[in-house]
Amino acid sequence: MNWYNVGKIVNTHGVRGEVRVMSRTDFPEERYAIGSKLGLFLPKSKQPIHLTVATHRKHKNFDLLTFENHSNINDVEKYRDGILKVSEEHLGELDEHEFYYHEIIGCNVVDLEGREIGKVTEIISTGANDVWSVKPETGKTHYIPYIEDVVKEVDIDNKKIVIDPLEGLLS
């Protein structure tokens, strides 16, 4: 089964089993909803600990969660530095022109003439739009904004993205 990162437990919060999560999801309302099933991957562990969200609230830049059957700090202290993930079967459907990061990372990027530009290695969230880090086989990394004027086609099945680079974008 494939698992996808939604956040990292960075600390406990209070004494009633609440944890601070540095979120890595665009869908915190869905991922941290009461009853949501998450897998916790601790450092040096390959098997997840299955958890069910009991409560969720926002506090400053963190999502605060409690889990069913984890009612005090002693139950969750050992989870610090663990990565919360959602299983592939719990990924929701996205709207047209929306993609999960794991679908975009690794795609080959070409221009309108079919010239190879590189592979997407990272996605940077800037607020206004995402920026895709594209690494060619040789040379420096290009930063491609995910905007309609530049990205013309995304073919997830064939791991191919066609772009129309703005002047100076690839220099």
Side-chain angles (χ1 to χ4, degrees):
M1 181 183 313
N2 290 326
W3 292 86
Y4 301 100
N5 190 351
V6 296
K8 178 180 181 178
I9 296 177
V10 293
N11 211 340
T12 56
H13 187 85
V15 296
R16 297 180 190 232
E18 207 165 32
V19 294
R20 278 187 194 182
V21 175
M22 182 68 71
S23 189
R24 295 282 180 251
T25 179
D26 287 334
F27 310 104
E29 318 77 31
E30 183 181 326
R31 299 292 174 236
Y32 307 137
I34 294 170
S36 291
K37 309 281 187 210
L38 298 173
L40 176 68
F41 289 79
L42 295 173
K44 301 176 188 162
S45 176
K46 297 276 188 241
Q47 293 300 314
I49 298 168
H50 295 279
L51 299 170
T52 303
V53 176
T55 66
H56 170 240
R57 66 186 177 108
K58 295 288 285 179
H59 178 67
K60 298 183 180 175
N61 292 332
F62 298 99
D63 287 277
L64 301 181
L65 304 176
T66 60
F67 304 108
E68 289 180 3
N69 304 316
H70 293 76
S71 58
N72 71 59
I73 191 170
N74 297 325
D75 296 332
V76 295
E77 256 184 337
K78 59 188 174 255
Y79 295 161
R80 187 178 306 161
D81 295 326
I83 304 296
L84 290 170
K85 297 185 178 192
V86 63
S87 66
E88 190 169 35
E89 66 191 31
H90 289 107
L91 292 178
E93 291 293 317
L94 297 177
D95 293 335
E96 189 176 359
H97 304 295
E98 290 185 337
F99 307 95
Y100 286 109
Y101 284 12
H102 70 270
E103 294 175 315
I104 297 298
I105 292 174
C107 284
N108 291 313
V109 179
V110 297
D111 66 13
L112 293 172
E113 286 78 42
R115 287 187 296 258
E116 183 86 19
I117 293 168
K119 272 195 189 323
V120 178
T121 58
E122 180 183 12
I123 298 175
I124 304 161
S125 295
T126 64
N129 56 270
D130 287 345
V131 175
W132 298 344
S133 222
V134 177
K135 180 80 174 134
E137 285 194 33
T138 60
K140 65 178 183 167
T141 300
H142 304 293
Y143 296 96
I144 310 296
Y146 180 52
I147 56 175
E148 200 173 304
D149 289 346
V150 174
V151 178
K152 298 303 180 185
E153 179 186 336
V154 178
D155 182 351
I156 294 302
D157 295 332
N158 294 309
K159 300 297 273 180
K160 181 180 173 186
I161 297 170
V162 178
I163 67 167
D164 183 8
L166 300 171
E167 189 173 328
L169 187 65
L170 301 177
S171 57

